[in-house]
Amino acid sequence: MKVFIIGAGQVGSTVVEALHADHDITVLDMEPARLSALAYKYDVATFEGDGTSRRDLSQAGIANADLVIACTSRDEANLVAGMFGRREAPHAKTIVRTSELEYVELWREGQLDVDFVVCPELETAHAISRAIGVPAARQTDVFAEGQVQIVEFDVEEGAPKSVVGVPLRDADLPRDSKVMAIIHGDELTLPGGDSVIEPGSRIVVIGSPRAAKEWGALLAPGGASVQDVVIFGAGRVGTAIARVLSGQGISIRMIEASRERARAAAEQFPKVRVYNAVGFDPDFLERERIGLAQAAIFAMRDDTKNLYGASLAKVHGVPFTIAVAHEAVSIAAFDQAGIDVAVNPRAVTAEEIVRFAHDPRTQQVAMLEGNRYEVLDVTTRETSRYIGTKFRDMPVHGALIGAIVRNGSAIFPHGDDVLQAGDRVIVFTEASNAPWVIEAL
Amino acid sequence: MSPTTGMRVLEPPHVGPPRRLGVNVRGALALVGTLTKWLAAAPLLPLAFALGYGESPWPFLGAIAVAGVLGLALERLGRDELRTVGFREGFLVVSATWVVAAGIGTVPYLLSGNPELDRPVDALFESMSGFTTTGASIVTDLPALDRSLAMWRQLTQWLGGMGIIVLALAVLPRLRIGGRQLMESELPGPEIEDLGTRIRQTARRLWGLYVVLTALLAGTLAVLGWTGLDDRMTPYRALAHAFTTMPTGGFSTEPDSIAAFQPVTQWVFVCFMILAGVNFALLYRVFVRRRVRSGLRDEELRLYLGFIVLGSALLVLQLLEQELSGSDAPLRNGVFQAVSILTTTGYATVDFTGWTTLALLTIVGLMFVGGSAGSTGGSIKIVRHLLVGRILRRELQTTVHPDLVAPIRLGGTPVDERTLRAVIAFVLLYVGLFVVGAGIIAIDTALQGPSLEPITVMAVAATTLGNVGPAFGHAGPFASFHEFSDLSTLVLVGLMWLGRLEIIPVVLLFTRQYWRL
């Protein structure tokens, strides 16, 4: 596939990194320095030019592209580039990055003539919303338009006996969920009915978002769902988070140092309590009892502020801190400081783009344990030899089907369910087995 | 999990259940215990009177026991949670302290066996009216009270006048919570003026001045009695009335209030009521630091005196015209009533129920004036009238000159816009509560009696909210509030409580915003 990328910034280069091995890539940017850095690192064609100039785009060969990705940091430039891409390469898919939620809504209403609109702020908000939904999770991701969630948990001493220490077939597992893997030390097993979850191991669970939450409540003793958060920063990221979380009935407080932005946020969200204050003022934190909040989200523009704010929140007793890391390198620093979750908006965006860009039939959606295991999202062909097979009769080949999406809704199959042609199958497999799994389905 | 890991969970946290309550109730109650346990010392004075006059000491011993045990128990209850007591808890501490104090005040009444005070609702009314320095009474037969019990009644007003929390701040070792906020809630007015480097020093100086002025008045009255100028003024009555004049309280040991005394005594009361309505910080500056000239230039003082002259003139003119005062002294009665109502004392030299409607309206109007900020007077307070007037003037000014920048000044210093907003909010809340209170009283008296004139209903609500004391008719200066139903009585107790703490700390307790995290 020929991919044409406009913008070689953080999002663009992350996309290049993910796609360069399997696809022919052309990158267009106005900064020669960025282009040469990319060209030295990856085998890609580069072109210095303006993404809003139709002549530059056609000279760079946009007409041959199968996929056009406009991901500069400027919304207007992306929209213009996407529009020209449509004209020059009518059969190519177009992806446009935007920071404006309004454009995302326009696209959803069918008013924008592009195939996919991705918004870093919104993706960040969704990622944070997932993390908050299952606070005990080590990692979590969603597939199939949010209907299927995969979560990785640490199983600790004191986890309930209904799940831990008994064979899975006798365990009282949350409905619509399945244990996909049990990891003990270096060893990973694909569990059967006889397998037992032991304290100290790690498990990967697939299920509906509701089941994922139930798992979280089950495995975090005394833990509870997050219903009360404080968001530091009412910029674009902060307001996107507030928008997503307030839709889930979570009680939200926002803290913003700029009077204008605080005012705008307060006007936009009538139910959110917005404070015009510096989030580092100990008197303020004490007076407003920020330490009693269940979770604090740091969405300020400056990573150092997010780092310091989150550390301060920990000092005040906030149990769950989530910080936005605008620079990828900040994640390690956040880890050092004991921050619980770090989200890099550009990387999250690149992931979304990569997910869309992949082969429509097979989507390698996630990797586990240092790339030894993969989660695949495969649509079954009519010629697959497993069509019509009951799940209990499926061969065990180091792969496990966790969920299928049929007619748009997710099913978490049991032994008597039957695989049908056209099912989207979420498969957990060893990486070495992946080609075999894709071929067999 | 994902190839590019945009989101990384670094350490899965343990999140506890959501907290709903943002207020440390136990810690606040512990502080209430600390602030109220010293009230156990208060009944010692009436106890001494009881022993001296051979009356029953048990009501006061009971009060000492209740105050001590309750204070220590509350203190112990939340001893371990004092660490997080702060700004938020301050409102609860102040409001609850006053309820607890009023509760302790009921003990002597309940134990006294006096048939008019043996019901808890009635005793609570009397006690709240005492501590809030309102001076409205449920008792019809004052001479029937034990002298020690009557002295307790006077004493509650004296304690409540300068403030039980301010006194606690003056006598207690340092508290965990910043005393300023507690003191601001109790000392009336938009802000307090420091008289020392520490809040404790300020509290001590205020109370010291208060004690000195009270002693001065008691001495003056005693001299009047001793020299035969007023033979009804015994030393007991001198002390009893000094206890209720300086806090602008208004309780009297006599059924006919100040009418029991000679004109010269009444003029002495007028002088000291006026003094009690002045900002005590200003009095301290003038009398102790001898900065007389700057004190007399004080804008609030000038407006206060202006209000007194205006109110007195209105009443005197009407009394002259109507010859209705029932006495030959329209000047004395007019001035006395104007000062007594305006400073929210509530003494009377004459039953003004029979005065003309215009005079009664003047009295109701004076109930909304109040003393100066930082005085012992209640109601809206002079400084707020001053600021509201200036805000209105500025609104008119900026209507003509929309781009005009016009900071509002008080004594030459610009006043923060936030303070101005708070002043407007206070006045609106005050008027709103008056309307609501009057409405409930109107409905309840229509259903359960006694039947009241409309102006009396208004006066009853205004007099309790403003901590004045008497209204008209059934609730007139020489009558009593005993005819009201229990519901009305409790509503009036609530209005007194709200009025004394300047509304906000109490109203806050009834909002969700206050309690939620």
Side-chain angles (χ1 to χ4, degrees):
Chain A
M1 188 164 65
K2 290 192 168 57
V3 182
F4 193 94
I5 300 175
I6 300 132
Q10 260 203 63
V11 175
S13 46
T14 315
V15 171
V16 168
E17 183 188 353
L19 297 180
H20 75 100
D22 306 328
H23 305 285
D24 298 333
I25 297 179
T26 306
V27 184
L28 180 141
D29 199 297
M30 292 203 284
E31 289 275 343
R34 283 180 178 176
L35 290 172
S36 54
L38 266 185
Y40 285 131
K41 216 165 168 188
Y42 309 108
D43 179 15
V44 294
T46 58
F47 190 93
E48 187 188 333
D50 184 351
T52 59
S53 148
R54 189 164 175 178
R55 198 179 54 203
D56 285 2
L57 288 171
S58 63
Q59 275 182 3
I62 196 170
N64 304 323
D66 301 309
L67 176 66
V68 174
I69 302 171
C71 55
T72 71
S73 55
R74 286 168 50 219
D75 282 5
E76 290 76 9
N78 294 341
L79 284 170
V80 170
M83 203 178 74
F84 287 148
R86 226 342 153 240
R87 282 284 157 79
E88 295 277 327
H91 303 295
K93 301 258 184 200
T94 21
I95 303 177
V96 163
R97 168 195 173 181
T98 176
S99 290
E100 207 60 71
L101 288 179
E102 196 188 329
Y103 292 142
V104 180
E105 274 157 20
L106 275 178
W107 170 66
R108 288 209 180 117
E109 289 163 13
Q111 307 279 330
L112 273 189
D113 185 22
V114 293
D115 294 290
F116 190 51
V117 168
V118 63
C119 168
E121 287 77 10
L122 199 58
E123 295 306 331
T124 305
H126 283 305
I128 286 173
S129 156
R130 289 199 297 273
I132 277 183
V134 194
R138 180 156 276 282
Q139 294 210 17
T140 173
D141 218 333
V142 292
F143 310 100
E145 290 76 47
Q147 292 187 71
V148 180
Q149 189 162 4
I150 294 182
V151 195
E152 188 179 347
F153 291 106
D154 287 327
V155 182
E156 291 175 16
E157 298 289 342
K161 296 276 174 284
S162 58
V163 177
V164 175
V166 293
L168 281 181
R169 76 161 58 83
D170 301 329
D172 185 15
L173 306 180
R175 263 172 60 90
D176 283 345
S177 73
K178 207 167 174 178
V179 180
M180 290 222 292
I182 301 174
I183 304 159
H184 206 96
D186 264 356
E187 192 187 339
L188 183 145
T189 38
L190 300 178
D194 303 325
S195 306
V196 176
I197 302 174
E198 300 286 356
S201 55
R202 193 180 287 180
I203 59 171
V204 180
V205 172
I206 187 166
S208 63
R210 168 192 282 257
K213 278 192 185 183
E214 287 173 29
W215 270 100
L218 207 59
L219 290 177
S225 64
V226 175
Q227 288 160 32
D228 164 36
V229 304
V230 182
I231 302 171
F232 289 74
R236 284 172 187 264
V237 181
T239 47
I241 296 167
R243 172 183 289 220
V244 168
L245 294 186
S246 61
Q248 299 169 6
I250 294 174
S251 146
I252 301 170
R253 286 178 281 173
M254 284 184 109
I255 297 161
E256 168 60 55
S258 141
R259 181 172 287 276
E260 292 79 43
R261 276 209 294 272
R263 174 97 199 167
E267 283 171 2
Q268 193 183 351
F269 305 110
K271 282 190 179 161
V272 173
R273 284 176 289 163
V274 182
Y275 299 89
N276 177 217
V278 178
F280 311 137
D281 174 5
D283 286 342
F284 170 79
L285 296 172
E286 186 61 41
R287 189 166 62 241
E288 293 302 334
R289 298 285 142 84
I290 299 300
L292 294 183
Q294 283 181 300
I297 300 167
F298 295 84
M300 289 171 283
R301 242 185 255 170
D302 195 343
D303 282 2
T304 54
K305 284 186 179 170
N306 289 337
L307 173 65
Y308 179 63
S311 305
L312 205 58
K314 281 271 175 209
V315 170
H316 276 82
V318 179
F320 190 7
T321 49
I322 298 160
V324 173
H326 295 285
E327 305 298 329
V329 67
S330 300
I331 291 179
F334 287 10
D335 189 12
Q336 281 288 321
I339 296 168
D340 300 310
V341 176
V343 182
N344 179 321
R346 294 191 187 91
V348 176
T349 310
E351 268 166 55
E352 260 327 280
I353 293 176
V354 169
R355 222 175 259 193
F356 182 87
H358 266 301
D359 185 328
R361 196 181 84 86
T362 309
Q363 301 186 349
Q364 179 222 45
V365 289
M367 287 184 148
L368 269 178
E369 295 295 303
N371 299 355
R372 269 174 67 201
Y373 297 88
E374 289 183 13
V375 179
L376 302 176
D377 181 348
V378 188
T379 306
T380 49
R381 290 175 300 205
E382 287 185 25
T383 53
S384 166
R385 62 185 129 134
Y386 294 111
I387 297 291
T389 315
K390 286 186 176 179
F391 280 89
R392 93 154 40 83
D393 303 328
M394 290 270 180
V396 180
H397 280 298
L400 190 74
I401 295 181
I404 54 180
V405 182
R406 187 177 292 162
N407 302 325
S409 57
I411 301 168
F412 300 90
H414 296 284
D416 292 331
D417 289 312
V418 173
L419 189 66
Q420 295 178 6
D423 283 351
R424 260 175 84 186
V425 186
I426 312 277
V427 194
F428 182 85
T429 176
E430 284 181 60
S432 55
N433 250 352
W436 180 87
V437 171
I438 293 165
E439 203 235 283
L441 290 168
Chain B
M1 192 184 287
S2 314
T4 43
T5 53
M7 181 181 81
R8 198 177 295 170
V9 178
L10 306 165
E11 192 54 50
H14 282 293
V15 178
R19 310 281 192 96
R20 303 268 177 230
L21 192 63
V23 180
N24 178 355
V25 177
R26 286 167 68 115
L29 288 181
L31 201 55
V32 171
T34 309
L35 289 169
T36 48
K37 73 178 174 198
W38 67 268
L39 268 181
L44 288 175
L45 180 77
L47 181 66
F49 276 88
L51 296 174
Y53 289 119
E55 294 164 353
S56 166
W58 293 111
F60 308 108
L61 292 173
I64 291 171
V66 169
V69 169
L70 189 64
L72 288 173
L74 284 176
E75 200 173 25
R76 182 158 288 228
L77 175 78
R79 194 173 37 182
D80 305 330
E81 304 196 27
L82 272 174
R83 205 179 57 79
T84 59
V85 172
F87 176 78
R88 185 87 80 93
E89 282 71 24
F91 305 102
L92 179 59
V93 169
V94 171
S95 302
T97 299
W98 279 76
V99 172
V100 169
I104 291 169
T106 63
V107 174
Y109 300 138
L110 291 172
L111 294 181
S112 70
N114 185 301
E116 289 194 272
L117 289 168
D118 59 358
R119 293 175 61 245
V121 175
D122 293 342
L124 181 64
F125 182 90
E126 200 72 12
S127 176
M128 189 60 98
S129 173
F131 277 109
T132 59
T133 74
T134 303
S137 180
I138 218 129
V139 181
T140 51
D141 190 7
L142 279 173
L145 290 183
D146 277 351
R147 289 210 257 186
S148 54
L149 194 66
M151 186 53 82
W152 169 246
R153 200 166 150 266
Q154 306 295 99
L155 183 66
T156 55
Q157 292 211 318
W158 190 68
L159 294 173
M162 187 48 77
I164 46 185
I165 294 173
V166 179
L167 181 52
L169 291 176
V171 298
L172 288 177
R174 272 183 51 159
L175 299 172
R176 272 216 61 90
I177 188 171
R180 174 173 299 271
Q181 184 203 356
L182 299 181
M183 197 152 149
E184 275 178 0
S185 308
E186 206 182 59
L187 261 188
E191 49 193 46
I192 53 174
E193 187 180 337
D194 284 324
L195 295 179
T197 47
R198 281 180 182 280
I199 206 80
R200 189 175 175 198
Q201 213 169 2
T202 304
R204 284 188 169 179
R205 288 185 173 161
L206 287 174
W207 260 92
L209 182 62
Y210 186 56
V211 169
V212 167
L213 286 172
T214 307
L216 192 65
L217 172 58
T220 312
L221 292 175
V223 166
L224 287 174
W226 183 59
T227 55
L229 285 169
D230 189 338
D231 47 12
R232 292 197 63 189
M233 185 54 81
T234 62
Y236 171 86
R237 286 183 181 133
L239 180 65
H241 287 87
F243 272 169
T244 57
T245 305
M246 283 327 291
T248 67
F251 270 157
S252 175
T253 56
E254 310 308 306
D256 49 355
S257 191
I258 306 303
F261 302 111
Q262 294 296 323
V264 58
T265 316
Q266 295 178 6
W267 282 113
V268 170
F269 277 119
V270 167
C271 293
F272 277 85
M273 284 193 287
I274 292 175
L275 269 184
V278 178
N279 187 343
F280 271 60
L282 179 70
L283 289 180
Y284 188 86
R285 278 210 311 270
V286 170
F287 289 126
V288 182
R289 296 195 178 147
R290 310 215 171 267
R291 288 213 284 269
V292 181
R293 193 170 290 178
S294 83
L296 292 181
R297 272 206 300 269
D298 186 84
E299 288 179 321
E300 188 182 18
L301 179 69
R302 291 184 168 195
L303 185 62
Y304 170 64
L305 297 175
F307 266 120
I308 288 177
V309 170
L310 181 70
S312 302
L314 280 172
L315 285 184
V316 169
L317 283 175
Q318 288 173 63
L319 291 182
L320 278 175
E321 186 146 317
Q322 300 293 325
E323 298 278 348
L324 267 170
S325 62
S327 77
D328 54 345
L331 179 68
R332 191 182 75 234
N333 285 328
V335 171
F336 190 96
Q337 248 46 248
V339 169
S340 165
I341 299 296
L342 184 142
T343 60
T344 75
T345 309
Y347 284 146
T349 54
V350 59
D351 185 355
F352 42 73
T353 303
W355 289 3
T356 60
T357 309
L358 195 56
L360 296 186
L361 277 175
T362 309
I363 287 177
V364 173
L366 288 174
M367 286 177 182
F368 286 90
V369 176
S372 310
S375 73
T376 60
S379 196
I380 291 178
K381 311 264 165 3
I382 307 292
V383 70
R384 292 204 180 90
H385 288 288
L386 191 65
L387 289 175
V388 166
R390 289 187 179 166
I391 292 166
L392 294 179
R393 194 176 63 190
R394 180 172 70 173
E395 279 312 302
L396 294 179
Q397 251 184 333
T398 49
T399 309
V400 186
H401 312 288
D403 302 317
L404 187 71
V405 179
I408 286 176
R409 290 165 194 279
L410 188 65
T413 323
V415 182
D416 183 33
E417 293 296 321
R418 210 181 171 117
T419 309
L420 295 177
R421 279 217 309 268
V423 165
I424 295 172
F426 176 87
V427 173
L428 290 178
L429 267 175
Y430 193 92
V431 173
L433 278 170
F434 161 70
V435 170
V436 170
I440 297 176
I441 300 298
I443 293 166
D444 189 55
T445 51
L447 294 175
Q448 308 193 47
S451 75
L452 299 179
E453 300 271 322
I455 192 161
T456 307
V457 172
M458 284 165 61
V460 164
T463 203
T464 45
L465 186 60
N467 300 142
V468 180
F472 313 130
H474 288 289
F478 301 153
S480 117
F481 281 65
H482 77 281
E483 285 188 59
F484 286 99
S485 73
D486 284 356
L487 173 67
S488 286
T489 307
L490 286 175
V491 168
L492 296 178
V493 167
L495 288 178
M496 292 190 274
W497 183 39
L498 282 158
R500 177 61 182 85
L501 296 180
E502 302 218 296
I503 298 173
I504 309 285
V506 179
V507 167
L508 269 183
L509 304 191
F510 296 95
T511 62
R512 199 171 93 86
Q513 280 291 338
Y514 177 72
W515 295 100
R516 74 186 284 199
L517 184 60

